[in-house]
Amino acid sequence: MANGDPLLQIAYNSGFTALSVFVPILVLLGAFLAVGTNDSVGLTRITLGGTLAGFATCGMHYIGQAGIANYTSVYSIAAVVGSVVISVIATTTALIIFFVLRAAWTNSWWKRVLCAVLLAGGVSGMHWLASVGTQYRYREPNSLMRSSISRDETVIIVIALSFAACAMLLVVAIVAQRRRQQSANRAKQVVLACATFDPEGRLLVTPEGLLPSQKITNSYIERSFDDVFSISHPAFLWVFRASRNWRSLSTMVMGIRRHLSATVGQIDPVDQKDTARSSFDESTNGSEDFSILFRKLFCVAAADLATQISEPLDQLGVLYDEIMNTGTVPMSRKMKIAHSLRPEHGKNGDVELGTIPPAIFGRGQVLFVVRRTNKMDAARLQARGFRFASIQNVSEILARALQVDNAALFARIESMRNYSKSDQIMPAGVHLGYFAIRARISGGWDVLVRREAKNRLPTIQLPIRSLKADHLALLKQLGGLTVANCRKRLQEELASNLHDDLFATPFYDALIALSDQVADPLIHEALLVAETFDVPCRPVIEGDQPGQATLIACHIVVPIHSREQSSWLQYSPLNLFHCQQRVYSNSPHHETFAQQMHGEFTPFVRTRPTSGSSDSFPRLASRRPRLPSRGKGSHGSWWGSLQGLERLENDAVAADTVSEKGLMRDGRSNGIMVRREISVDIRDSRTEQPRLGRDHVGCTGLSSSEVGGESWNFVDRLFAISIEGRAKTW
């Protein structure tokens, strides 16, 4: 300007220059807070945010113009109005596009670039129009020139600020890339993730669209090819129950963490499987020791996950009854095996039946804790930086991070959302159920359950509130008959008016309805049990202990190659189904499990290992119930009952002495464990309950006894009846 005359060059006042920097920062912060505090995008908020952002941009320009020390600016009204309009329209449009895309989780990089170009073009256009509509009149230098900034200094400051902004963006990009890499690594680990839903059914995610998660361990150390960590594994059954007892567990987490640090040296001791295995005592079963270690790692991971979302441990949620396999193949090939990751393939089953893909060692697994929040808790989580998003908007992001099929993940999250609604407990009343069990080649048993509620058998509710004496007499007559013969006999007797229509007719209709729902011809061969069973049901008053519904059951052991014929049914591990009957809200079994849990962890929490100890993993010795020999008058069916209990507890891995089997109550006094030895007396079922009139029930002598500190439930009794009946046919 003016041939480089230094007196005629534009000089800026340092105070106004600094003000032009910080004023738009504060105003734009308010604008973005007004628009982006949550995922809801409203016209009022967008308009307010866009107007504030436009005024901030114009204010930055004109504050800078006011800071010119040696010139007086003369503005054209039309240019000022036009620059404001351009700025407001450009910023509002960019905000609408950006936040709408963000709310829909479709803001890919090229869409962000489009928003940036639109915003930069609007700001640049505003500056050009404002500059064209401005006249500059020279004025004599004054005292303000002493504190003014020269043109060269202004350029240097602008360049420095630009580089600082780029450096900040680079740091943000590096952090985001590091988080994506961590997510990719966790796809090959055993991870505990949090699936929290708000009242509208939206999923809690991080700003990156991922689930809050913590690593449990690099992988579960298997003892053999059959020892696959799945929902039938004793370690999973333990953590499944522990997630319903967070309050009792929370008092021991710090001690467990200290014990892990002292004995292992780090929270994750299995970076190298061979090294970890070599640390175990070769004279014992390494799987037993790692089962204990895995439980402790799970407890620590759960506590860390609760800290990550800033929630108490007892508000973390309950463990979902499925495990998702992740990271089994490279991302480019995941679509080729999408069928192997369907929700029903998450359990240990028969490869020839197609119930599970072949085991792939080194794959990752995700355990989910599921929870549904109220509006207040959802707002608090959003204030902490988390977001609630529709499942369809984030499923693709999650699928890429977990390296699984998007459709399979979407179905799994939908199932978890339904799982979080309630206990899915049976309603009170009288029900007719179908107890079908199937042996697994890998060991253990499966039971046919509802797909949407795996804690319930296929049942039909009868339109009566309770059973009377004549109803029980009819069941006694029909006991031992197949379903087909029961229907035929009831049809004949109803035609002859031999029974009360208030029970016989509804019971006959229920047999037909149950056969139709199961849609399997094998149900016609199932045997009706003469006795009835008490099953946990929905309490009369919310918050009370579960009530007791009455179950009339027909049982069968189906061939190992049979498949479910109905889309609303599936086979689930029998020991998981058995465990689910003890985890309902306010169940008295929680107290028993809490005692067992304290009995397991008290030696670890209170004992300080010595540096020279050769055994880094103290072991728990479980004691089996001592069974007396057959006394006088005992019935030969005791073998089936005992085998039923033994095989039910050994469903996943035989001889796991730290599983739910053998957990004991403890009496604690200054760290001394007192274990109670239990003797189980097995008697003739006919002498225990003569009203049954059946000698093949074979398990009622154990129904009131305690095994491992907990009494038998209807699952144990039905299993023993089924096994004994099967043994007689052999």
Side-chain angles (χ1 to χ4, degrees):
M1 177 180 282
N3 296 321
D5 188 347
L7 295 178
L8 298 179
Q9 305 306 310
I10 295 178
Y12 293 92
N13 180 271
S14 58
F16 279 97
T17 301
L19 188 63
S20 68
V21 173
F22 291 105
V23 166
I25 291 177
L26 297 177
V27 178
L28 285 173
L29 176 62
F32 280 91
L33 287 176
V35 179
T37 51
N38 54 46
D39 288 333
S40 61
V41 182
L43 181 60
T44 302
R45 296 172 60 189
I46 286 289
T47 302
L48 176 61
T51 302
L52 288 175
F55 284 167
T57 306
C58 288
M60 172 190 64
H61 176 83
Y62 287 107
I63 290 175
Q65 291 289 97
I68 298 177
N70 55 345
Y71 284 89
T72 300
S73 301
V74 179
Y75 303 108
S76 168
I77 300 298
V80 172
V81 173
S83 64
V84 171
V85 171
I86 290 176
S87 179
V88 170
I89 292 177
T91 53
T92 301
T93 304
L95 289 177
I96 289 176
I97 296 175
F98 179 80
F99 285 103
V100 167
L101 294 176
R102 192 192 74 156
W105 291 92
T106 57
N107 49 348
S108 56
W109 67 269
W110 64 270
K111 296 178 181 178
R112 297 183 184 184
V113 170
L114 177 62
C115 292
V117 170
L118 179 61
L119 184 60
V123 172
S124 178
M126 181 278 301
H127 281 296
W128 279 106
L129 180 59
S131 299
V132 170
T134 302
Q135 296 180 357
Y136 300 93
R137 295 178 181 177
Y138 181 76
R139 61 183 178 181
E140 293 294 330
N142 51 36
S143 59
L144 294 176
M145 289 291 294
R146 298 175 182 176
S147 59
S148 62
I149 303 175
S150 67
R151 180 183 62 181
D152 295 339
E153 293 172 337
T154 302
V155 172
I156 293 174
I157 292 175
V158 171
I159 293 175
L161 290 175
S162 300
F163 273 106
C166 292
M168 293 178 62
L169 292 176
L170 180 61
V171 170
V172 172
I174 292 174
V175 171
Q177 177 61 29
R178 183 179 179 184
R179 290 179 177 177
R180 285 192 292 268
Q181 185 62 41
Q182 290 177 346
S183 176
N185 292 336
R186 286 183 177 177
K188 300 179 182 179
Q189 299 168 341
V190 182
V191 175
L192 180 65
C194 177
T196 301
F197 300 90
D198 67 356
E200 299 177 6
R202 297 180 301 172
L203 180 64
L204 177 75
V205 294
T206 64
E208 295 81 15
L210 305 176
L211 293 177
S213 62
Q214 290 290 330
K215 182 183 74 171
I216 301 176
T217 181
N218 282 344
S219 62
Y220 192 93
I221 298 180
E222 300 90 358
R223 184 178 60 198
S224 65
F225 284 96
D226 294 331
D227 183 18
V228 178
F229 181 67
S230 63
I231 59 176
S232 64
H233 197 283
F236 178 84
L237 300 181
W238 189 93
V239 298
F240 186 80
R241 294 191 69 175
S243 68
R244 273 76 176 172
N245 291 270
W246 290 130
R247 193 179 300 275
S248 299
L249 185 62
S250 60
T251 60
M252 299 183 289
V253 170
M254 291 302 298
I256 295 172
R257 191 188 298 272
R258 287 194 300 268
H259 177 77
L260 283 173
S261 300
T263 57
V264 184
Q266 55 182 354
I267 294 300
D268 182 18
V270 289
D271 289 333
Q272 298 293 333
K273 284 189 177 183
D274 294 337
T275 304
R277 288 183 186 273
S278 64
S279 67
F280 300 150
D281 188 352
E282 295 181 357
S283 63
T284 62
N285 191 324
S287 177
E288 296 174 3
D289 287 339
F290 191 75
S291 178
I292 301 176
L293 181 60
F294 179 82
R295 300 178 191 194
K296 293 186 286 185
L297 293 171
F298 174 84
C299 296
V300 172
D304 292 340
L305 183 58
T307 302
Q308 180 182 351
I309 62 175
S310 302
E311 288 286 315
L313 181 59
D314 58 357
Q315 298 295 322
L316 185 61
V318 297
L319 196 65
Y320 182 54
D321 58 9
E322 291 183 4
I323 299 174
M324 170 163 274
N325 299 326
T326 62
T328 56
V329 292
M331 288 294 294
S332 60
R333 297 174 53 200
K334 70 175 193 255
M335 296 303 295
K336 298 181 180 179
I337 62 164
H339 66 280
S340 68
L341 297 173
R342 292 196 300 267
E344 63 268 26
H345 292 160
K347 51 186 180 295
N348 185 17
D350 180 10
V351 176
E352 294 182 357
L353 293 179
T355 57
I356 188 172
I360 304 175
F361 292 94
R363 67 186 177 187
Q365 293 176 305
V366 179
L367 284 68
F368 298 94
V369 282
V370 179
R371 174 194 175 198
R372 182 173 288 267
T373 65
N374 54 36
K375 290 185 178 180
M376 184 178 299
D377 291 338
R380 186 170 64 250
L381 289 168
Q382 286 180 312
R384 293 168 184 162
F386 296 99
R387 297 172 59 188
F388 284 96
S390 300
I391 299 176
Q392 61 267 22
N393 291 339
V394 295
S395 62
E396 185 176 354
I397 299 175
L398 292 172
R400 287 198 302 267
L402 297 175
Q403 300 180 20
V404 297
D405 177 55
N406 185 18
L409 179 63
F410 182 85
R412 187 69 59 92
I413 298 177
E414 285 280 3
S415 177
M416 285 189 286
R417 181 168 63 181
N418 297 331
Y419 189 84
S420 68
K421 291 181 180 178
S422 65
D423 274 341
Q424 299 287 348
I425 192 170
M426 179 182 291
V430 180
H431 301 260
L432 173 65
Y434 179 55
F435 186 77
I437 58 175
R438 181 189 69 187
R440 291 199 304 265
I441 292 179
S442 58
W445 296 83
D446 290 331
V447 61
L448 191 65
V449 296
R450 298 170 181 251
R451 189 177 298 276
E452 78 283 358
K454 301 179 186 63
N455 59 317
R456 293 178 58 183
L457 296 171
T459 57
I460 296 294
Q461 185 169 6
L462 277 67
I464 55 176
R465 300 185 61 180
S466 61
L467 294 177
K468 300 179 181 179
D470 56 334
H471 303 161
L472 296 174
L474 176 59
L475 290 177
K476 183 177 180 180
Q477 296 176 13
L478 298 175
L481 298 179
T482 64
V483 170
N485 290 334
C486 286
R487 290 173 54 178
K488 182 178 179 180
R489 183 168 176 178
L490 283 174
Q491 187 176 17
E492 293 174 352
E493 294 185 357
L494 285 173
S496 303
N497 295 322
L498 297 179
H499 292 290
D500 182 9
D501 288 346
L502 295 179
F503 174 71
T505 299
F507 184 56
Y508 175 76
D509 294 337
L511 285 172
I512 296 176
L514 184 62
S515 301
D516 293 339
Q517 289 188 3
V518 173
D520 190 344
L522 290 174
I523 190 176
H524 301 296
E525 302 176 16
L527 302 178
L528 184 69
V529 183
E531 66 172 305
T532 60
F533 304 89
D534 292 332
V535 180
C537 71
R538 190 174 297 116
V540 178
I541 302 176
E542 186 176 358
D544 286 354
Q545 292 185 2
Q548 294 291 332
T550 301
L551 177 67
I552 304 170
C554 49
H555 68 91
I556 188 173
V557 179
V558 301
I560 196 170
H561 56 78
S562 62
R563 299 287 304 274
E564 62 271 12
Q565 302 299 318
S566 175
S567 60
W568 69 284
L569 299 176
Q570 71 175 64
Y571 280 96
S572 180
L574 181 59
N575 55 358
L576 174 62
F577 179 75
H578 180 271
C579 178
Q580 288 172 321
Q581 308 310 311
R582 303 185 186 275
V583 298
Y584 294 116
S585 299
N586 304 306
S587 171
H589 294 287
H590 292 315
E591 181 180 356
T592 303
F593 181 77
Q595 293 174 344
Q596 297 168 353
M597 188 164 50
H598 279 275
E600 282 190 285
F601 284 142
T602 297
F604 300 128
V605 174
R606 296 188 179 184
T607 302
R608 295 182 179 273
T610 60
S611 58
S613 175
S614 61
D615 189 354
S616 300
F617 305 98
R619 298 174 181 82
L620 295 180
S622 64
R623 187 184 300 270
R624 294 177 181 264
R626 182 165 52 87
L627 301 175
S629 59
R630 293 174 55 186
K632 182 179 180 179
S634 63
H635 192 264
S637 63
W638 69 271
W639 182 88
S641 302
L642 179 59
Q643 285 295 105
L645 179 62
E646 293 283 295
R647 297 184 72 174
L648 182 60
E649 291 175 339
N650 291 311
D651 202 359
V653 181
D656 185 350
T657 60
V658 295
S659 67
E660 288 198 328
K661 169 187 58 178
L663 293 176
M664 70 296 293
R665 300 187 184 188
D666 65 295
R668 294 183 297 279
S669 176
N670 296 326
I672 299 176
M673 290 283 296
V674 179
R675 297 174 180 170
R676 184 176 62 183
E677 186 174 294
I678 301 169
S679 298
V680 181
D681 187 16
I682 302 176
R683 304 167 186 250
D684 193 327
S685 61
R686 291 172 294 183
T687 61
E688 290 292 324
Q689 297 187 20
R691 70 176 181 85
L692 294 178
R694 291 173 53 83
D695 60 359
H696 71 274
V697 174
C699 65
T700 55
L702 281 176
S703 61
S704 60
S705 303
E706 288 188 338
V707 180
E710 292 183 297
S711 60
W712 273 36
N713 58 19
F714 77 99
V715 183
D716 301 295
R717 295 167 63 192
L718 278 171
F719 180 77
I721 293 172
S722 302
I723 293 300
E724 182 183 7
R726 185 70 171 178
K728 285 188 175 183
T729 62
W730 294 340

